[in-house]
Amino acid sequence: MAAQQTRILTGDTPTGNLHIGHWVGSVKRRVELQSKHECFFLIANLHAFTTRADRPDEIRRDCIEIARDAIAMGVDPEQAAIFLQTEVPAILELTYLFAMLLPYNRVMRNPTLKDELKVKDLKDNYSFGFPLYTVGQCADILAFRAHGVPVGEDQVPHLELTREVARRFNKMYCGVADKAPDEEHESLGGVFPIPVADVGKVGRLIGTDGVNKMSKSLGNAIHLTDTPKQVKKKIGRIYTGQDSRQPTDKGETDPAKNPLFQYLETFVDDSDQVDEIRRRYAQGDNIGDGEVKMLVADAINTLLDPMRARREQWASDDDVMDVLLDGSRKANEACEETLAMAKDAAKLRFFPRSVQLG
Ligand code: ATP
Ligand code: MG
Protein backbone atom coordinates (compact mmCIF):
# COMPACT_ATOMS: atom_id res chain seq x y z
CA MET A 1 0.00 0.00 0.00
CA ALA A 2 1.21 3.49 -0.82
CA ALA A 3 2.86 5.45 1.98
CA GLN A 4 0.59 8.48 1.53
CA GLN A 5 -2.63 8.71 3.53
CA THR A 6 -5.26 6.53 1.95
CA ARG A 7 -8.80 5.67 2.90
CA ILE A 8 -9.54 2.39 4.60
CA LEU A 9 -12.93 0.70 4.87
CA THR A 10 -13.84 -2.59 6.41
CA GLY A 11 -16.52 -3.98 8.66
CA ASP A 12 -18.39 -6.74 10.40
CA THR A 13 -21.88 -8.16 10.34
CA PRO A 14 -23.68 -7.88 13.70
CA THR A 15 -24.37 -11.59 14.07
CA GLY A 16 -22.62 -12.05 17.44
CA ASN A 17 -19.60 -10.87 19.38
CA LEU A 18 -16.18 -10.51 17.79
CA HIS A 19 -13.83 -13.48 18.03
CA ILE A 20 -10.12 -14.18 17.77
CA GLY A 21 -10.53 -14.90 14.03
CA HIS A 22 -11.60 -11.27 13.57
CA TRP A 23 -8.58 -10.14 15.50
CA VAL A 24 -5.99 -12.02 13.41
CA GLY A 25 -7.83 -11.62 10.09
CA SER A 26 -8.81 -7.96 10.18
CA VAL A 27 -9.05 -6.04 13.48
CA LYS A 28 -5.34 -6.18 14.31
CA ARG A 29 -4.63 -4.59 10.95
CA ARG A 30 -7.29 -1.92 11.59
CA VAL A 31 -5.54 -0.98 14.81
CA GLU A 32 -2.22 -0.70 12.96
CA LEU A 33 -3.70 1.46 10.19
CA GLN A 34 -5.90 3.83 12.17
CA SER A 35 -3.24 6.36 13.17
CA LYS A 36 -1.88 6.79 9.65
CA HIS A 37 -4.97 6.56 7.46
CA GLU A 38 -8.52 7.80 7.31
CA CYS A 39 -10.37 4.75 8.61
CA PHE A 40 -14.05 3.84 8.46
CA PHE A 41 -15.33 0.69 10.15
CA LEU A 42 -18.81 -0.41 9.20
CA ILE A 43 -21.37 -2.36 11.17
CA ALA A 44 -23.35 -4.10 8.45
CA ASN A 45 -26.69 -4.31 10.22
CA LEU A 46 -28.68 -4.54 7.02
CA HIS A 47 -26.55 -7.44 5.83
CA ALA A 48 -27.37 -9.20 9.10
CA PHE A 49 -30.98 -9.31 7.91
CA THR A 50 -29.96 -11.65 5.08
CA THR A 51 -29.99 -14.52 7.56
CA ARG A 52 -31.80 -13.05 10.59
CA ALA A 53 -34.67 -10.92 9.35
CA ASP A 54 -36.85 -12.48 12.06
CA ARG A 55 -34.52 -11.34 14.86
CA PRO A 56 -34.27 -7.53 14.74
CA ASP A 57 -33.75 -7.21 18.52
CA GLU A 58 -30.69 -9.48 18.38
CA ILE A 59 -29.23 -7.55 15.44
CA ARG A 60 -29.71 -4.24 17.22
CA ARG A 61 -28.06 -5.54 20.36
CA ASP A 62 -25.17 -6.99 18.35
CA CYS A 63 -24.53 -3.60 16.71
CA ILE A 64 -23.67 -2.20 20.13
CA GLU A 65 -21.79 -5.33 21.11
CA ILE A 66 -19.61 -5.32 18.00
CA ALA A 67 -18.76 -1.64 18.39
CA ARG A 68 -17.84 -2.27 22.03
CA ASP A 69 -15.73 -5.30 21.05
CA ALA A 70 -13.89 -3.35 18.35
CA ILE A 71 -13.03 -0.59 20.83
CA ALA A 72 -11.97 -3.21 23.36
CA MET A 73 -9.65 -4.76 20.76
CA GLY A 74 -7.98 -1.40 20.26
CA VAL A 75 -9.93 0.51 17.62
CA ASP A 76 -9.79 4.13 18.75
CA PRO A 77 -13.02 6.07 18.09
CA GLU A 78 -11.01 9.29 18.17
CA GLN A 79 -9.03 8.11 15.17
CA ALA A 80 -11.44 5.89 13.27
CA ALA A 81 -15.15 6.26 12.46
CA ILE A 82 -17.25 3.30 13.61
CA PHE A 83 -20.68 3.59 11.99
CA LEU A 84 -23.98 1.91 11.20
CA GLN A 85 -24.76 0.89 7.62
CA THR A 86 -28.44 1.81 7.89
CA GLU A 87 -27.62 5.39 8.93
CA VAL A 88 -25.77 6.00 5.67
CA PRO A 89 -28.39 6.09 2.89
CA ALA A 90 -25.87 6.67 0.08
CA ILE A 91 -24.63 3.09 0.51
CA LEU A 92 -28.08 1.70 -0.24
CA GLU A 93 -28.57 3.97 -3.24
CA LEU A 94 -25.25 2.90 -4.70
CA THR A 95 -26.19 -0.75 -4.15
CA TYR A 96 -29.14 -0.33 -6.49
CA LEU A 97 -27.04 1.41 -9.11
CA PHE A 98 -24.24 -1.18 -8.93
CA ALA A 99 -26.76 -4.02 -9.22
CA MET A 100 -27.31 -2.79 -12.79
CA LEU A 101 -23.62 -3.10 -13.60
CA LEU A 102 -23.22 -6.74 -12.61
CA PRO A 103 -24.54 -9.70 -14.56
CA TYR A 104 -26.76 -11.84 -12.33
CA ASN A 105 -24.70 -14.94 -13.12
CA ARG A 106 -21.51 -13.19 -12.12
CA VAL A 107 -22.95 -12.50 -8.66
CA MET A 108 -24.10 -16.09 -8.23
CA ARG A 109 -20.70 -17.49 -9.28
CA ASN A 110 -19.01 -15.84 -6.28
CA PRO A 111 -17.32 -18.74 -4.36
CA THR A 112 -17.76 -17.10 -0.94
CA LEU A 113 -21.48 -16.76 -1.56
CA LYS A 114 -21.71 -20.42 -2.56
CA ASP A 115 -19.71 -21.45 0.49
CA GLU A 116 -21.90 -19.41 2.83
CA LEU A 117 -25.06 -20.91 1.37
CA LYS A 118 -23.60 -24.32 2.12
CA VAL A 119 -22.14 -23.84 5.61
CA LYS A 120 -25.04 -21.71 6.84
CA ASP A 121 -27.34 -24.45 5.54
CA LEU A 122 -29.53 -22.05 3.58
CA LYS A 123 -30.33 -24.57 0.83
CA ASP A 124 -32.82 -23.14 -1.69
CA ASN A 125 -34.68 -21.08 0.87
CA TYR A 126 -32.45 -18.04 0.97
CA SER A 127 -33.95 -14.65 0.36
CA PHE A 128 -33.50 -12.55 -2.77
CA GLY A 129 -31.53 -10.23 -0.48
CA PHE A 130 -28.90 -12.86 0.29
CA PRO A 131 -27.02 -12.68 -3.03
CA LEU A 132 -27.82 -8.95 -3.14
CA TYR A 133 -25.67 -8.45 -0.05
CA THR A 134 -22.55 -9.13 -2.14
CA VAL A 135 -23.52 -6.16 -4.34
CA GLY A 136 -24.22 -4.19 -1.16
CA GLN A 137 -20.71 -4.97 -0.02
CA CYS A 138 -19.35 -3.41 -3.22
CA ALA A 139 -21.28 -0.27 -2.27
CA ASP A 140 -20.02 -0.39 1.34
CA ILE A 141 -16.49 -0.10 0.05
CA LEU A 142 -16.94 2.13 -2.99
CA ALA A 143 -19.17 4.64 -1.16
CA PHE A 144 -15.99 5.63 0.68
CA ARG A 145 -13.79 5.52 -2.40
CA ALA A 146 -11.62 3.29 -0.19
CA HIS A 147 -8.14 2.28 -1.31
CA GLY A 148 -7.47 -0.51 1.17
CA VAL A 149 -9.76 -3.10 2.72
CA PRO A 150 -8.33 -5.11 5.65
CA VAL A 151 -10.21 -8.43 5.52
CA GLY A 152 -9.90 -12.15 6.06
CA GLU A 153 -9.29 -14.50 3.15
CA ASP A 154 -12.99 -15.34 2.75
CA GLN A 155 -13.70 -11.77 1.66
CA VAL A 156 -11.25 -11.71 -1.26
CA PRO A 157 -13.85 -12.86 -3.85
CA HIS A 158 -16.14 -10.03 -2.66
CA LEU A 159 -13.30 -7.61 -3.17
CA GLU A 160 -12.78 -8.94 -6.68
CA LEU A 161 -16.43 -8.24 -7.44
CA THR A 162 -16.02 -4.73 -6.01
CA ARG A 163 -13.00 -4.10 -8.21
CA GLU A 164 -14.99 -5.19 -11.25
CA VAL A 165 -17.84 -2.83 -10.42
CA ALA A 166 -15.46 0.08 -9.91
CA ARG A 167 -13.72 -0.56 -13.23
CA ARG A 168 -17.01 -0.90 -15.06
CA PHE A 169 -18.44 2.29 -13.57
CA ASN A 170 -15.32 4.31 -14.33
CA LYS A 171 -15.29 3.09 -17.94
CA MET A 172 -19.00 3.45 -18.55
CA TYR A 173 -19.60 6.86 -16.98
CA CYS A 174 -16.23 8.57 -16.50
CA GLY A 175 -14.49 7.91 -19.80
CA VAL A 176 -11.66 5.83 -18.31
CA ALA A 177 -10.06 3.82 -21.12
CA ASP A 178 -10.72 0.11 -21.37
CA LYS A 179 -7.16 -1.03 -20.68
CA ALA A 180 -6.33 1.62 -18.07
CA PRO A 181 -4.18 0.21 -15.22
CA ASP A 182 -6.04 -0.10 -11.92
CA GLU A 183 -3.76 2.37 -10.10
CA GLU A 184 -4.54 5.09 -12.64
CA HIS A 185 -8.33 5.00 -12.62
CA GLU A 186 -8.66 7.93 -10.20
CA SER A 187 -6.12 10.15 -11.93
CA LEU A 188 -7.82 9.41 -15.27
CA GLY A 189 -11.09 10.84 -13.94
CA GLY A 190 -12.76 7.71 -12.57
CA VAL A 191 -14.95 8.30 -9.51
CA PHE A 192 -13.70 5.15 -7.82
CA PRO A 193 -10.19 3.98 -6.94
CA ILE A 194 -9.80 0.23 -7.53
CA PRO A 195 -9.57 -1.04 -3.93
CA VAL A 196 -7.03 -3.58 -2.73
CA ALA A 197 -7.65 -6.41 -0.23
CA ASP A 198 -5.27 -6.22 2.72
CA VAL A 199 -5.39 -9.74 4.17
CA GLY A 200 -4.02 -10.19 7.71
CA LYS A 201 -1.15 -12.53 8.55
CA VAL A 202 -3.64 -15.29 9.33
CA GLY A 203 -6.28 -14.95 6.65
CA ARG A 204 -8.43 -17.86 7.75
CA LEU A 205 -8.39 -18.98 11.34
CA ILE A 206 -10.01 -22.35 11.64
CA GLY A 207 -12.86 -22.80 14.13
CA THR A 208 -12.83 -24.94 17.26
CA ASP A 209 -14.72 -27.57 15.24
CA GLY A 210 -11.42 -28.05 13.39
CA VAL A 211 -13.27 -27.98 10.07
CA ASN A 212 -14.83 -24.62 9.13
CA LYS A 213 -13.59 -21.05 9.26
CA MET A 214 -14.10 -19.64 12.75
CA SER A 215 -17.41 -17.77 12.39
CA LYS A 216 -19.75 -15.94 14.72
CA SER A 217 -22.74 -17.75 13.35
CA LEU A 218 -21.34 -21.29 13.34
CA GLY A 219 -20.84 -21.70 17.10
CA ASN A 220 -17.16 -22.59 16.60
CA ALA A 221 -15.62 -19.32 17.79
CA ILE A 222 -13.61 -18.10 20.77
CA HIS A 223 -15.17 -14.75 21.57
CA LEU A 224 -13.74 -11.76 23.30
CA THR A 225 -16.61 -12.13 25.76
CA ASP A 226 -15.61 -15.68 26.76
CA THR A 227 -14.24 -16.02 30.28
CA PRO A 228 -10.73 -17.49 30.74
CA LYS A 229 -12.40 -20.71 31.88
CA GLN A 230 -14.61 -20.86 28.77
CA VAL A 231 -11.54 -20.33 26.58
CA LYS A 232 -9.79 -23.26 28.29
CA LYS A 233 -12.86 -25.43 27.82
CA LYS A 234 -13.26 -24.54 24.14
CA ILE A 235 -9.59 -25.16 23.42
CA GLY A 236 -9.77 -28.41 25.35
CA ARG A 237 -12.56 -29.61 23.09
CA ILE A 238 -10.90 -28.80 19.79
CA TYR A 239 -11.17 -31.65 17.40
CA THR A 240 -7.67 -32.58 16.34
CA GLY A 241 -8.70 -35.48 14.14
CA GLN A 242 -7.35 -38.98 13.91
CA ASP A 243 -5.95 -38.32 10.46
CA SER A 244 -3.73 -35.58 11.89
CA ARG A 245 -1.77 -38.38 13.58
CA GLN A 246 -1.47 -40.57 10.50
CA PRO A 247 2.19 -41.27 9.74
CA THR A 248 3.53 -39.92 6.46
CA ASP A 249 5.61 -42.06 4.07
CA LYS A 250 8.62 -41.36 6.28
CA GLY A 251 6.83 -42.62 9.34
CA GLU A 252 6.43 -39.11 10.82
CA THR A 253 3.18 -37.41 11.74
CA ASP A 254 2.31 -34.16 10.03
CA PRO A 255 1.58 -31.39 12.55
CA ALA A 256 0.40 -29.06 9.82
CA LYS A 257 -2.70 -31.21 9.53
CA ASN A 258 -3.58 -30.64 13.14
CA PRO A 259 -5.76 -27.52 13.60
CA LEU A 260 -4.33 -26.95 17.05
CA PHE A 261 -1.03 -26.08 15.42
CA GLN A 262 -2.54 -23.11 13.65
CA TYR A 263 -3.53 -21.73 17.06
CA LEU A 264 -0.10 -22.53 18.46
CA GLU A 265 1.65 -20.72 15.62
CA THR A 266 -0.76 -17.80 15.71
CA PHE A 267 -1.01 -17.07 19.41
CA VAL A 268 2.14 -18.38 21.11
CA ASP A 269 4.83 -15.73 20.69
CA ASP A 270 7.85 -17.81 21.68
CA SER A 271 8.89 -19.20 18.28
CA ASP A 272 11.61 -21.43 19.78
CA GLN A 273 9.00 -23.09 21.95
CA VAL A 274 6.69 -23.52 18.96
CA ASP A 275 9.51 -24.98 16.85
CA GLU A 276 10.43 -27.40 19.58
CA ILE A 277 6.86 -28.63 19.96
CA ARG A 278 6.50 -28.94 16.20
CA ARG A 279 9.69 -30.99 16.01
CA ARG A 280 8.83 -33.33 18.86
CA TYR A 281 5.30 -33.74 17.63
CA ALA A 282 6.40 -34.45 14.05
CA GLN A 283 8.65 -37.20 15.34
CA GLY A 284 5.68 -38.78 17.03
CA ASP A 285 6.70 -37.95 20.62
CA ASN A 286 3.94 -38.47 23.09
CA ILE A 287 3.38 -34.82 23.93
CA GLY A 288 -0.36 -35.20 24.04
CA ASP A 289 -2.72 -32.48 22.90
CA GLY A 290 -3.42 -31.60 26.52
CA GLU A 291 -0.07 -29.93 27.03
CA VAL A 292 -0.27 -27.99 23.78
CA LYS A 293 -3.88 -27.04 24.45
CA MET A 294 -2.98 -25.61 27.85
CA LEU A 295 -0.23 -23.50 26.31
CA VAL A 296 -2.55 -22.24 23.57
CA ALA A 297 -5.38 -21.42 26.00
CA ASP A 298 -2.98 -19.44 28.23
CA ALA A 299 -1.64 -17.51 25.24
CA ILE A 300 -5.14 -16.63 24.05
CA ASN A 301 -6.15 -15.51 27.54
CA THR A 302 -3.05 -13.32 27.74
CA LEU A 303 -4.10 -11.69 24.46
CA LEU A 304 -7.69 -11.24 25.59
CA ASP A 305 -7.07 -9.98 29.15
CA PRO A 306 -6.40 -6.30 28.31
CA MET A 307 -9.29 -6.39 25.82
CA ARG A 308 -11.60 -7.73 28.51
CA ALA A 309 -10.53 -4.88 30.77
CA ARG A 310 -11.24 -2.27 28.07
CA ARG A 311 -14.64 -3.83 27.45
CA GLU A 312 -15.48 -3.24 31.10
CA GLN A 313 -14.57 0.44 30.73
CA TRP A 314 -17.01 0.70 27.81
CA ALA A 315 -19.89 -1.05 29.59
CA SER A 316 -22.26 1.88 29.07
CA ASP A 317 -24.49 1.56 25.97
CA ASP A 318 -24.87 5.35 25.87
CA ASP A 319 -21.12 5.79 25.45
CA VAL A 320 -21.10 3.33 22.57
CA MET A 321 -24.12 5.04 20.96
CA ASP A 322 -22.25 8.36 21.07
CA VAL A 323 -19.38 6.74 19.17
CA LEU A 324 -21.80 5.36 16.58
CA LEU A 325 -23.53 8.70 16.09
CA ASP A 326 -20.24 10.51 15.63
CA GLY A 327 -18.94 7.79 13.28
CA SER A 328 -22.17 7.71 11.24
CA ARG A 329 -22.00 11.49 10.76
CA LYS A 330 -18.44 11.22 9.47
CA ALA A 331 -19.44 8.34 7.21
CA ASN A 332 -22.31 10.37 5.72
CA GLU A 333 -19.98 13.25 4.98
CA ALA A 334 -17.71 10.98 2.95
CA CYS A 335 -20.48 8.98 1.27
CA GLU A 336 -22.69 11.93 0.29
CA GLU A 337 -19.70 13.34 -1.54
CA THR A 338 -19.15 10.07 -3.39
CA LEU A 339 -22.85 9.68 -4.20
CA ALA A 340 -22.99 13.17 -5.68
CA MET A 341 -19.94 12.36 -7.83
CA ALA A 342 -21.43 9.04 -8.95
CA LYS A 343 -24.83 10.59 -9.69
CA ASP A 344 -23.21 13.39 -11.67
CA ALA A 345 -21.28 10.83 -13.71
CA ALA A 346 -24.39 8.72 -14.38
CA LYS A 347 -26.60 11.79 -15.00
CA LEU A 348 -28.77 10.95 -12.02
CA ARG A 349 -28.33 14.09 -9.94
CA PHE A 350 -30.95 16.81 -10.18
CA PHE A 351 -30.84 18.67 -6.84
CA PRO A 352 -28.41 19.19 -3.96
CA ARG A 353 -29.13 17.35 -0.72
CA SER A 354 -27.68 16.66 2.72
CA VAL A 355 -28.15 14.09 5.45
CA GLN A 356 -28.58 15.20 9.08
CA LEU A 357 -28.34 12.76 11.98
CA GLY A 358 -29.34 13.23 15.60
P1 ATP B 1 -20.75 -14.64 10.06
O1 ATP B 1 -20.70 -16.04 10.59
O2 ATP B 1 -21.99 -13.90 10.44
O3 ATP B 1 -20.44 -14.55 8.58
P2 ATP B 1 -18.01 -14.00 10.65
O4 ATP B 1 -17.48 -14.58 11.90
O5 ATP B 1 -17.66 -14.67 9.36
O6 ATP B 1 -19.58 -13.86 10.84
P3 ATP B 1 -17.86 -11.39 9.47
O7 ATP B 1 -18.59 -10.27 10.10
O8 ATP B 1 -18.48 -12.07 8.29
O9 ATP B 1 -17.58 -12.49 10.61
O10 ATP B 1 -16.37 -10.96 9.09
C1 ATP B 1 -15.76 -9.76 9.55
C2 ATP B 1 -14.31 -9.72 9.12
O11 ATP B 1 -13.53 -10.67 9.85
C3 ATP B 1 -14.08 -10.07 7.64
O12 ATP B 1 -13.01 -9.29 7.14
C4 ATP B 1 -13.67 -11.52 7.67
O13 ATP B 1 -12.88 -11.91 6.56
C5 ATP B 1 -12.86 -11.56 8.97
N1 ATP B 1 -12.92 -12.89 9.54
C6 ATP B 1 -14.04 -13.49 10.02
N2 ATP B 1 -13.74 -14.73 10.45
C7 ATP B 1 -12.40 -14.91 10.25
C8 ATP B 1 -11.50 -16.00 10.49
N3 ATP B 1 -11.92 -17.12 11.04
N4 ATP B 1 -10.19 -15.84 10.15
C9 ATP B 1 -9.75 -14.67 9.60
N5 ATP B 1 -10.55 -13.61 9.35
C10 ATP B 1 -11.87 -13.73 9.66
MG1 MG C 1 -18.64 -14.02 7.55
Side-chain angles (χ1 to χ4, degrees), residues 12-13 15 19 22 120 152 154 205 213-217:
D12 311 287
T13 327
T15 44
H19 52 68
H22 293 119
K120 291 178 182 171
D154 63 307
L205 191 74
K213 176 186 89 66
M214 183 175 284
S215 288
K216 293 185 233 89
S217 50

Side-chain angles (χ1 to χ4, degrees), residues 23 68-74 224 228 298-314:
W23 171 249
R68 183 179 285 128
D69 285 350
I71 297 168
M73 283 184 167
L224 173 50
D298 285 345
I300 291 174
N301 277 324
T302 303
L303 169 75
L304 295 183
D305 273 341
M307 300 179 183
R308 290 178 178 126
R310 247 191 323 266
R311 240 188 91 81
E312 292 278 305
Q313 288 163 11
W314 282 84

